[in-house]
Amino acid sequence: MALLTPLGSLPYPQPADAANVPQHIQSLAEAVDGRTVLRFADAATRDAKVTSPVAGMLVWLSTPKQFWYHTGSAWAQLAPGPVHLANTTTGTTTSATYVETLTGSTGDPTAVTFTAPASGSVLVTVGARINSSAATAAYISANIRLSTTVTLAAADARAAISYGTNLCSATTQFQVTGLTVNSSYTATLAYKSAATTSTATFTNRFVTVTPVT
């Protein structure tokens, strides 16, 4: 009976084992196979090949050129990075409720797509140069969507706020938790004015989503 190495549990024969070199090499190769960095064309190919993944298994997907590992319950991207989008055009709104499209701007709605990490949590940062046509506030926040469903709506508590007619740079950051791991979400900038009688102006807008690992 083959013994196992103390760290990797790889099999090796004992002197008393039958001298079947091909069988011993096959046993070792099969044991090593799941411990190397496996390479697949995409997630569908991976899932078809690896039907019983275990925690710590590491794979490379040619599409979308990323390393993924298994947490013990799901595949997750290894060390996912932040995603960012900026819109340098200027736009305005008089809406007192959050809207995703500004008058006079291009490129709206301004949104980034991100994959929920293994933690199910991300940090969302939004900001812009903002001013109002009157002594009132202007707000920039973000809507978080899973497909077309808003899972976290833009809100004043999660908004960068500027008050008055002076053009000011404003930014804020908030954490989003409880995301479905590996699902694709969007974070879309949303804007409003404190009053319909004043015009809120936004320029150099941006949204950044950073995974919490």
Side-chain angles (χ1 to χ4, degrees), residues 14-34:
Q14 300 181 67
D17 289 339
N20 190 335
V21 174
Q23 181 181 8
H24 296 320
I25 293 176
Q26 180 181 348
S27 297
L28 178 61
E30 290 175 349
V32 170
D33 193 31

Side-chain angles (χ1 to χ4, degrees), residues 81-213:
V83 291
H84 172 84
L85 184 64
N87 187 331
T88 59
T89 65
T90 300
T92 65
T93 186
T94 57
S95 175
T97 58
Y98 282 100
V99 295
E100 295 179 348
T101 300
L102 296 174
T103 301
S105 70
T106 58
D108 283 337
T110 299
V112 293
T113 300
F114 64 94
T115 300
S119 65
S121 178
V122 296
L123 293 176
V124 179
T125 308
V126 300
R129 298 193 70 194
I130 313 170
N131 74 307
S132 177
S133 62
T136 55
Y139 303 78
I140 180 172
S141 185
N143 289 313
I144 309 301
R145 287 186 177 85
L146 175 59
S147 186
T148 58
T149 302
V150 175
T151 58
L152 186 66
D156 296 355
R158 294 183 292 275
I161 307 170
S162 178
Y163 187 89
T165 59
N166 291 329
L167 187 63
C168 297
S169 294
T171 184
T172 194
Q173 185 178 76
F174 57 90
Q175 187 169 0
V176 182
T177 61
L179 301 174
T180 302
V181 176
N182 291 337
S183 293
S184 181
Y185 288 81
T186 56
T188 306
L189 290 179
Y191 324 86
K192 79 169 191 177
S193 174
T196 57
T197 54
S198 59
T199 300
T201 300
F202 304 86
T203 189
N204 292 337
R205 301 163 272 151
F206 72 90
V207 55
T208 304
V209 179
T210 305
V212 174
T213 57

